[in-house]
Amino acid sequence: MKILRKLLFPFAVLYGLITSIRNFLFDKGVLKSYSFDLPIIAVGNLSVGGTGKTPQIEYLIRLLSQEYNVATLSRGYKRQSKGFILANKSSNATLIGDEPFQYFLKFPKIQVAVDADRKNGIEQLLSQPKSPEVILLDDAFQHRKVKAGFYILLTTFDDLYADDFILPTGNLRESRSGASRAQIVIVTKCPKSLSLEEQNKIKLKLHLAENQQFFFSYIQYDDFIYSEDKTIRVADLANVDKLLLAGIAKPKSFFAYLQNENDVILTYPDHHHFSENDIQEIINKAKNKIIITTEKDYVRLKGSISLAQLYYLPIKSELLSDEMIFNKTILNYVGTSSRNR
């Protein structure tokens, strides 16, 4: 695969040129970006998948939903529907996508919408009887048809965009210079023990501008796993045989947190649609063991596997330091934008 990617280098150069021209045309106003009269925060990345957008969106939801009517807008990746959909009690992961459905289940007080056309999605949200006061755009860093008021760029500790290259040779959707559009850059999935010296080295490597704020975050796994109606402490699973299942981009740390010697491990592609054969394979391999999966996989497996057997492990994104500064920056942006409406 690595050899093939190197052979595709000319296509990467061409793709990089095309995306650079596109960005230039948006920057100069030749291609039109649409702005809206309310605070809009876009969370995204330069690379393909696995940077921790979902827990970061959930962090913002928890921060903002106590004071504001919050809406999330995603494209609903791999959903089996089209157009604008506002989540309701009849929604499921197939209809709106696994991540939006996860938001809908966890945060019942917010509005959750999907639309590949973010401009239309925002217009539809603003036409609702309960109009949102702030909109969170999920995975919309390259969606330049809409000009968000605030951009948060994520890059993972073990796969920094500074060390990557344009598709298909690397995993970047656009050149590294695209990072300049972000007001905040967060290095995600860091070890909790990351030293200040290592943090400074990373900051230098990313060549951030003076006006860009910089943070480090890590994934905090819950102390409990949850089923439809039961809770088990992770510490009590030390001697329990189980089946661990993940259909996410980078499941290594999920398995490491839970895995024992006799556990059965099953991995699937990110956003995998579980077929009847997949479900049967999971049931057969689990036998009488409990099945533990990620939140994102749980919302897709719910209803296909016995809820008495199926559990999920929640995660949160937490900042290594400067949490108050980060929160204040976000709240100031939203507060100022709201007062200026």
Side-chain angles (χ1 to χ4, degrees):
M1 180 62 74
K2 289 183 178 180
I3 295 174
L4 177 60
R5 283 198 159 201
K6 290 180 179 179
L7 291 174
L8 293 172
F9 177 77
F11 295 96
V13 174
L14 177 61
Y15 178 71
L17 178 62
I18 292 170
T19 57
S20 295
I21 292 172
R22 175 179 180 270
N23 282 328
F24 176 80
L25 294 176
F26 273 112
D27 292 339
K28 297 301 180 182
V30 178
L31 296 178
K32 187 172 181 180
S33 294
Y34 294 87
S35 299
F36 292 87
D37 189 23
L38 82 165
I40 297 177
I41 301 174
V43 177
N45 50 28
L46 296 184
S47 62
V48 178
T51 56
K53 292 185 297 294
T54 302
Q56 185 59 50
I57 289 285
E58 292 184 354
Y59 183 105
L60 294 172
I61 293 171
R62 285 189 288 269
L63 175 65
L64 294 168
S65 59
Q66 297 178 25
E67 294 187 41
Y68 300 96
N69 295 328
V70 174
T72 65
L73 178 60
S74 314
R75 61 173 168 161
Y77 184 61
K78 286 195 174 182
R79 63 183 170 120
Q80 296 181 11
S81 62
K82 293 182 179 179
F84 175 83
I85 298 176
L86 184 65
N88 56 43
K89 292 181 179 179
S90 64
S91 298
N92 54 42
T94 301
L95 185 68
I96 65 173
D98 49 15
E99 291 160 347
F101 190 50
Q102 181 176 315
Y103 303 147
F104 178 72
L105 293 177
K106 290 182 73 171
F107 305 101
K109 293 183 179 180
I110 74 167
Q111 293 169 289
V112 176
V114 293
D115 197 335
D117 183 343
R118 304 303 208 284
K119 175 180 176 289
N120 181 69
I122 293 170
E123 291 170 344
Q124 293 292 330
L125 279 169
L126 294 179
S127 70
Q128 300 300 313
K130 182 184 177 183
S131 179
E133 296 172 307
V134 55
I135 296 176
L136 305 177
L137 296 182
D138 185 6
D139 195 14
F141 201 78
Q142 285 77 33
H143 197 93
R144 302 206 57 190
K145 188 177 179 181
V146 168
K147 186 176 181 180
F150 200 96
Y151 288 89
I152 298 175
L153 178 67
L154 310 181
T155 184
T156 53
F157 169 77
D158 61 355
D159 191 15
L160 299 170
Y161 64 76
D163 297 327
D164 208 342
F165 199 76
I166 295 285
L167 287 163
T169 298
N171 291 314
L172 296 184
R173 298 169 172 176
E174 60 174 304
S175 74
R176 303 164 194 168
S177 63
S180 63
R181 298 197 301 275
Q183 283 89 345
I184 285 178
V185 176
I186 304 177
V187 179
T188 63
K189 301 185 180 181
C190 297
K192 292 183 184 180
S193 59
L194 189 66
S195 69
L196 287 175
E197 182 181 359
E198 291 174 298
Q199 292 178 31
N200 288 329
K201 286 181 180 178
I202 292 172
K203 186 174 183 179
L204 289 172
K205 179 181 283 190
L206 297 183
H207 300 292
L208 299 180
E210 290 185 5
N211 63 334
Q212 290 181 295
Q213 290 183 277
F214 192 51
F215 299 90
F216 293 85
S217 71
Y218 64 94
I219 294 298
Q220 178 65 55
Y221 289 99
D222 206 294
D223 293 329
F224 295 86
I225 60 170
Y226 301 84
S227 69
E228 184 77 359
D229 56 3
K230 292 182 181 179
T231 302
I232 302 175
R233 288 183 62 88
V234 172
D236 295 334
L237 297 171
N239 298 313
V240 176
D241 292 342
K242 50 197 177 293
L243 183 145
L244 304 179
L245 183 159
I248 58 176
K250 297 176 181 179
K252 185 178 179 181
S253 59
F254 167 79
F255 292 134
Y257 184 73
L258 294 169
Q259 188 174 358
N260 294 328
E261 185 177 350
N262 296 321
D263 290 343
V264 177
I265 305 295
L266 287 178
T267 58
Y268 296 90
D270 197 14
H271 301 279
H272 181 68
H273 173 71
F274 292 99
S275 66
E276 291 184 8
N277 288 339
D278 293 330
I279 299 298
Q280 196 57 54
E281 177 191 34
I282 294 166
I283 294 171
N284 291 342
K285 291 192 174 182
K287 297 180 180 178
N288 295 322
K289 301 182 180 72
I290 64 170
I291 300 168
I292 308 175
T293 189
T294 68
E295 284 184 276
K296 193 162 68 171
D297 293 305
Y298 181 82
V299 300
R300 280 180 280 128
L301 289 167
K302 189 178 178 181
S304 299
I305 294 176
S306 168
L307 294 178
Q309 192 177 14
L310 185 64
Y311 290 77
Y312 67 91
L313 174 70
I315 63 172
K316 287 184 179 181
S317 176
E318 300 286 357
L319 295 171
L320 284 177
S321 62
D322 299 327
E323 180 179 348
M324 290 182 63
I325 296 174
F326 178 87
N327 292 351
K328 184 178 179 181
T329 300
I330 299 299
L331 292 171
N332 282 349
Y333 160 68
V334 173
T336 301
S337 299
S338 299
R339 287 193 298 271
N340 289 339
R341 293 185 66 179

